[in-house]
Amino acid sequence: MSDDILTYLLMIRHESAALLILAYIIFIYFSVRRRKSYGHTLFSGLVICSSVSVIFDMLTVYTVNHRDTVPDLLNRVLHTIFIGSIAGVMFFVYLYVRMLCNSGHKPTILSFLPLGLSVVSIAVLPMYYEDSAHGSYSQGASVTAAFVFAFMYILLSIFMLIKYRRTIDRKSMSGIFIALLSFIAVTVLQLFIKPILITSVGTVMINLALFYTVESPDAILIEKLEAERKRADEANKAKTTFLANMSHEIRTPINSVLGMNEMILRESRETATISYAENIQAAGSTLLSLVNDILDFAKVEEGRMEIMPVQYDVSSLINDIVNMTRTKTDENGLELILDIDKDIPYLLFGDEVRIKQCALNLLSNAVKFTDEGSVTMKLGYEKIPETTDKITICFTVIDTGVGIRAEDMVKLFSAFSVGEKDPNRTVGGTGLGLSITRRLLDLMGGKMFVHSDYGSGSEFSFKVPQKVVDTEPVGDYVKRYESAAAHYINRALFTAPDVNILAVDDTEMNLTVIRGLLRRTKVRLDTVTSGKKAIEAASSKHYDIMLIDHMMPEKDGIETLRELKKLPDSYDTVYIALTANAVSGAREMYIDAGFDDYLAKPVDGKHLEETLQRHISKDKLREPDEPETDKIVSMPDWLQKIDEIDTDSGIRYCGGPAAYLETLEVFAEKVKTNADEMERYHQEGDIQNIIIKIHSLKSSSLAIGAKELSVFAEHLESAAKANDNNTLDADTDELIWRYRRLGALLTPILAQKKVTDDKDLPPMTMMQLLEAYASLRERSQSYDLDG
């Protein structure tokens, strides 16, 4: 008798181990309090059904090997429950997969059909038993039907997983596939080696795989934490969006108030009124600075602060920083000490605007926290090992101010935290400057360093990697800056009156810029606004050089180039690509496409002249004329008050003040038409055309100095090209709003143009004048202000 018990225990060793594992899962799973969801119900059913299967598997092992003492009816009933429970296990797995794929939707009546058929088949179809040296086991149509219907549910589960693979997270997908593959592997092995009786191993593998990847308490906790994180991110995004929108909305009335107050300061002769207006101006400027800080912080938090690298002159960067800082140091009675490394390369490639912002933040803080003494600004560089075209610029600010206490160092970069000058007096501000600076440096791959001795001053510095464009040392930055500024406005590298050039760009404003830049070269310049018109122009006239924009509607630049090269008189024409996509490898791409050279937009005047000089035959080049003495063209006061525009940058891009004002007129004239078209394309889902419009806005806004609008347009263009419809849908309306708002700020230039144009009109007749007076009287009596 003891030998029989030992033999039986050896025969059910797989089932015994499986039952212990299931007991462990049941204990852990049901001892943890959790939300009673549909998924919880299904997994509970799976564990219970699996336990029933293993228990009856153990019972049938005994009864099938003791048929001499166990009644046939009992043996058949136990086998029927065991085999049916296998189909039941796979049914619960299918329901679980369906639940994950369909977000908890409950099954239809058809889902139960295979289970019903399997129960009927198992109960009705014949079953017989085979004996072997290792024990007896069941066989027959009944057993086959059970496994057929089980595999049917496996196939349905795999189909659901493939169909809804994008809706299931990787962890859940892995768990389910492990479960299904384990059951298939065990079942196939069982079919080939029937006496080993390892069906229970496949059943327990299913439970283990789902438990440890989806249903364990740790997985539930992680899922809850992930849900909480998403809610927190959404709340933070809503807060950031609110800050950004409010900052934009608040800046408009502040600028209006400051503009009107400026008029009071200019026109008033009353001492008291001027005193009040000066206080308003100071407070308004401070308020505007705070709002700008909040807007920058909101952009960084929302991940929309983008780095826009451009080629820039270090002397210009230094000049701007020094001029903006010297005013503050003079007002506070501080000495501004400069220590500029004259060997730093003069031409670099990086985000000049953000570097300037970081430097000014540090200098502004130094002035704010220094009552007497000096503020020292150092600019140097370090070579990056194993590279020939990259350096690290090192910017340092040293002050003789109050310094920072040790306990305040930990919160130095915290948002909305402002340091103290003394225990009883705090310094105004948002406390965002250093936080924004560090985040901007992170975006540029830079680092920030701080050293301070409380009571004797502080030293703030940062290092940012930059690409070197020209290794010539900057030398005396003042002389270099003045020389560069004079070149932009007065001097051309050459003249070529016998050279015919065709510029092709769908944006009229870009053509205006090119006309302004090439005016002093005296080339014969024609302009057209489409690839089709370029082909028509080239068919009737030979051009030495063609400047062709890449992104154009209908025929883009590359398609236009292919057709131009088919013309009989095109063999000696030089084709130069114009593009706002100044990315690494762009030059090689355009050369491969058949272009002879490439220029990035907005086109830099000096680079344009240098490029043309390389491609114009020497016999057509002439010496440049003597520098012209241009009539002085001053920028309107209202224009310099528009924060969205850097007029100095725009003047450099356009080749001079006169050309810049002309370019602004063209930009302002096109705003309404372009914005309406962008809005229509967005509503119609016309991605191709909206990419072209956004691409055009990216270069044209940069050409007038609207750098933030250009960066935002580039952000949206990248999203459109990457088929990121969520970003495109969320941000296109804001881009159009910003574009229209800038157009509204530029309306005075259109009014000024209209006044200028009206001077050329003939005088009104007496009858026209009387009609105009009558119309004015009628509208004023009816209070028709718009009329």
Side-chain angles (χ1 to χ4, degrees):
M1 183 66 181
S2 60
D3 290 341
D4 288 344
I5 294 173
L6 181 60
T7 302
Y8 173 63
L9 291 176
L10 289 172
M11 292 175 69
I12 64 167
R13 61 188 182 279
H14 299 119
E15 289 80 356
S16 301
L19 189 61
L20 287 173
I21 294 171
L22 286 172
Y24 166 77
I25 293 174
I26 289 172
F27 174 77
I28 297 296
Y29 189 72
F30 289 102
S31 64
V32 176
R33 296 182 62 183
R34 67 186 71 213
R35 183 171 56 89
K36 295 293 188 284
S37 63
Y38 178 52
H40 175 268
T41 302
L42 290 179
F43 189 74
S44 301
L46 174 63
V47 174
I48 293 170
C49 191
S50 300
S51 301
V52 169
S53 177
V54 173
I55 290 170
F56 277 86
D57 189 7
M58 297 170 69
L59 293 174
T60 55
V61 169
Y62 178 82
T63 59
V64 76
N65 287 288
H66 295 83
R67 293 195 302 279
D68 53 339
T69 58
V70 176
D72 290 340
L73 179 60
L74 177 61
N75 196 32
R76 175 60 193 254
V77 169
L78 294 177
H79 271 85
T80 299
I81 296 173
F82 162 59
I83 296 170
S85 64
I86 294 174
V89 167
M90 298 317 302
F91 172 67
F92 276 110
V93 171
Y94 165 72
L95 292 183
Y96 195 85
V97 172
R98 182 186 175 89
M99 178 270 301
L100 289 176
C101 293
N102 287 327
S103 301
H105 291 174
K106 295 189 177 180
T108 61
I109 298 298
L110 291 176
S111 302
F112 290 86
L113 185 60
L115 180 65
L117 291 175
S118 67
V119 171
V120 173
S121 302
I122 293 166
V124 174
L125 293 176
M127 181 187 299
Y128 63 91
Y129 310 101
E130 287 190 13
D131 299 321
S132 71
H134 301 284
S136 303
Y137 50 91
S138 55
Q139 284 282 56
S142 178
V143 177
T144 303
F147 282 97
V148 166
F149 285 111
F151 272 94
M152 188 180 297
Y153 278 122
I154 290 176
L155 293 175
L156 286 172
S157 299
I158 293 174
F159 171 77
M160 295 284 287
L161 288 172
I162 294 173
K163 182 178 179 181
Y164 295 99
R165 63 187 179 277
R166 297 183 187 278
T167 64
I168 305 177
D169 63 89
R170 184 175 297 179
K171 181 187 68 175
S172 301
M173 181 75 79
S174 302
I176 295 166
F177 264 115
I178 291 171
L180 296 177
L181 292 176
S182 300
F183 187 83
I184 292 171
V186 167
T187 305
V188 170
L189 188 62
Q190 176 78 71
L191 290 174
F192 283 98
I193 312 175
K194 295 178 180 178
I196 61 175
L197 304 176
I198 58 170
T199 306
S200 59
V201 176
T203 302
V204 81
M205 283 296 291
I206 289 174
N207 286 269
L208 279 173
L210 292 180
F211 179 72
Y212 278 108
T213 57
V214 185
E215 289 290 340
S216 72
D218 289 342
I220 297 295
L221 178 60
I222 292 171
E223 187 177 328
K224 288 181 179 178
L225 291 174
E226 183 67 18
E228 291 298 326
R229 185 189 65 80
K230 285 182 179 178
R231 277 197 289 270
D233 287 346
E234 288 171 1
N236 187 57
K237 186 176 181 181
K239 175 210 71 176
T240 305
T241 304
F242 171 77
L243 281 175
N245 291 337
M246 286 305 298
S247 298
H248 272 296
E249 294 296 334
I250 292 171
R251 283 206 304 181
T252 303
I254 292 175
N255 283 321
S256 299
V257 170
L258 291 176
M260 296 302 294
N261 192 66
E262 179 70 21
M263 298 302 295
I264 296 173
L265 285 169
R266 287 169 181 250
E267 297 179 8
S268 178
R269 296 293 179 266
E270 298 178 12
T271 306
T273 303
I274 292 175
S275 176
Y276 297 149
E278 286 176 344
N279 290 335
I280 292 172
Q281 199 73 13
S285 298
T286 302
L287 179 58
L288 185 60
S289 175
L290 299 181
V291 171
N292 287 336
D293 278 350
I294 293 172
L295 180 58
D296 282 343
F297 182 75
K299 284 182 183 177
V300 174
E301 285 282 293
E302 205 173 15
R304 283 171 44 187
M305 178 70 81
E306 296 195 19
I307 298 304
M308 186 174 177
V310 295
Q311 183 174 291
Y312 67 94
D313 190 329
V314 173
S315 62
S316 174
L317 173 75
I318 299 169
N319 185 78
D320 290 348
I321 293 172
V322 170
N323 286 342
M324 295 175 76
T325 305
R326 195 179 296 279
T327 304
K328 294 180 181 179
T329 54
D330 290 347
E331 287 176 357
N332 289 26
L334 303 175
E335 181 185 4
L336 179 60
I337 301 172
L338 301 178
D339 183 2
I340 310 298
D341 187 342
K342 294 184 177 181
D343 293 328
I344 187 171
Y346 92 96
L347 205 57
L348 301 178
F349 185 80
D351 195 329
E352 176 191 14
V353 174
R354 299 306 172 198
I355 291 173
K356 191 187 301 181
Q357 184 177 354
C358 292
L360 288 172
N361 276 344
L362 297 189
L363 285 164
S364 177
N365 270 356
V367 173
K368 186 189 299 183
F369 290 94
T370 304
D371 288 329
E372 57 183 18
S374 64
V375 172
T376 302
M377 169 184 143
K378 293 183 178 181
L379 181 63
Y381 77 104
E382 297 173 355
K383 293 182 178 179
I384 298 178
E386 301 179 0
T387 62
T388 57
D389 64 341
K390 289 184 179 180
I391 63 169
T392 299
I393 60 170
C394 309
F395 185 90
T396 304
V397 175
I398 304 171
D399 65 63
T400 58
V402 66
I404 305 167
R405 292 178 296 193
E407 58 267 29
D408 289 336
M409 290 291 284
V410 294
K411 60 180 182 181
L412 191 61
F413 297 102
S414 300
F416 304 104
S417 175
V418 184
E420 294 186 5
K421 293 181 76 172
D422 60 59
N424 300 316
R425 184 161 60 96
T426 59
V427 178
T430 57
L432 292 175
L434 290 179
S435 177
I436 292 171
T437 300
R438 189 173 68 170
R439 296 187 188 210
L440 288 175
L441 290 171
D442 288 342
L443 289 174
M444 294 187 288
K447 291 183 179 179
M448 190 168 180
F449 308 91
V450 183
H451 173 73
S452 181
D453 294 321
Y454 185 60
S456 59
S458 304
E459 179 178 318
F460 284 79
S461 61
F462 64 78
K463 296 181 178 182
V464 182
Q466 300 283 276
K467 188 174 180 179
V468 178
V469 178
D470 195 319
T471 56
E472 181 184 340
V474 69
D476 187 334
Y477 81 90
V478 176
K479 290 182 179 179
R480 179 175 288 278
Y481 175 76
E482 291 173 350
S483 173
H487 165 79
Y488 276 117
I489 296 174
N490 293 317
R491 187 182 296 275
L493 293 178
F494 64 90
T495 56
D498 298 327
V499 172
N500 293 315
I501 296 178
L502 178 68
V504 188
D505 198 306
D506 63 305
T507 304
E508 178 63 37
M509 202 199 80
N510 291 335
L511 297 175
T512 303
V513 171
I514 291 174
R515 279 193 292 267
L517 294 175
L518 294 181
R519 180 172 61 86
R520 291 186 175 86
T521 64
K522 297 185 177 180
V523 298
R524 298 173 184 170
L525 178 66
D526 294 334
T527 59
V528 292
T529 56
S530 70
K532 181 181 178 182
K533 291 179 180 178
I535 295 166
E536 292 173 357
S539 300
S540 58
K541 180 179 178 180
H542 177 264
Y543 290 98
D544 300 284
I545 296 175
M546 290 193 191
L547 306 169
I548 305 173
D549 182 36
H550 179 196
M551 295 281 287
M552 295 187 293
E554 297 178 2
K555 292 181 187 298
D556 68 13
I558 294 175
E559 291 173 316
T560 302
L561 174 69
R562 289 171 185 158
E563 296 197 28
L564 285 170
K565 287 198 168 186
K566 294 176 183 177
L567 297 176
D569 199 21
S570 64
Y571 65 94
D572 62 344
T573 300
V574 174
Y575 300 97
I576 300 174
L578 300 174
T579 179
N581 291 331
V583 295
S584 177
R587 180 184 179 85
E588 291 74 15
M589 182 190 79
Y590 289 111
I591 299 299
D592 292 342
F595 285 97
D596 298 289
D597 214 328
Y598 141 93
L599 281 168
K601 292 196 299 184
V603 179
D604 177 83
K606 184 179 179 183
H607 292 156
L608 175 61
E609 290 178 12
E610 288 173 345
T611 303
L612 294 179
Q613 192 177 36
R614 284 199 305 270
H615 293 290
I616 295 174
S617 61
K618 288 186 169 37
D619 60 316
K620 291 185 177 182
L621 286 173
R622 304 284 184 271
E623 286 298 318
D625 294 339
E626 286 300 315
E628 298 179 13
T629 305
D630 285 349
K631 62 179 181 180
I632 297 174
V633 178
S634 59
M635 292 295 105
D637 291 338
W638 61 266
L639 179 60
Q640 294 179 341
K641 293 180 185 300
I642 299 178
D643 291 338
E644 287 79 357
I645 293 180
D646 179 357
T647 54
D648 291 339
S649 175
I651 291 170
R652 287 200 298 271
Y653 281 130
C654 296
Y660 178 55
L661 291 176
E662 183 183 350
T663 304
L664 279 175
E665 288 177 7
V666 177
F667 182 90
E669 283 177 344
K670 299 291 183 182
V671 169
K672 185 180 186 309
T673 303
N674 290 338
D676 290 346
E677 288 180 355
M678 285 173 64
E679 192 167 47
R680 189 177 78 251
Y681 292 145
H682 178 49
Q683 291 170 352
E684 293 173 355
D686 188 344
I687 301 297
Q688 189 60 38
N689 274 317
I690 202 166
I691 287 177
I692 291 172
K693 283 293 178 185
I694 293 173
H695 178 85
S696 175
L697 178 58
K698 177 180 73 173
S699 60
S700 61
S701 55
L702 187 57
I704 65 167
K707 296 181 180 180
E708 288 191 9
L709 182 62
S710 177
V711 170
F712 194 58
E714 183 179 32
H715 155 72
L716 269 184
E717 182 188 18
S718 301
K721 288 180 177 178
N723 295 319
D724 184 359
N725 292 328
N726 292 333
T727 300
L728 202 60
D729 291 340
D731 293 347
T732 299
D733 288 337
E734 183 178 350
L735 177 69
I736 296 171
W737 177 84
R738 286 192 188 186
Y739 187 24
R740 283 178 171 150
R741 180 176 178 275
L742 182 56
L745 293 173
L746 291 173
T747 49
I749 205 164
L750 296 179
Q752 180 179 326
K753 180 173 186 276
K754 186 176 186 305
V755 170
T756 305
D757 293 345
D758 286 350
K759 292 179 181 177
D760 299 326
L761 295 176
M764 296 177 71
T765 65
M766 183 58 69
M767 185 59 69
Q768 290 173 330
L769 186 60
L770 291 174
E771 288 177 356
Y773 285 153
S775 178
L776 280 171
R777 184 168 56 252
E778 178 186 345
R779 293 179 186 277
S780 63
Q781 288 173 349
S782 61
Y783 297 99
D784 182 0
L785 300 182
D786 292 336

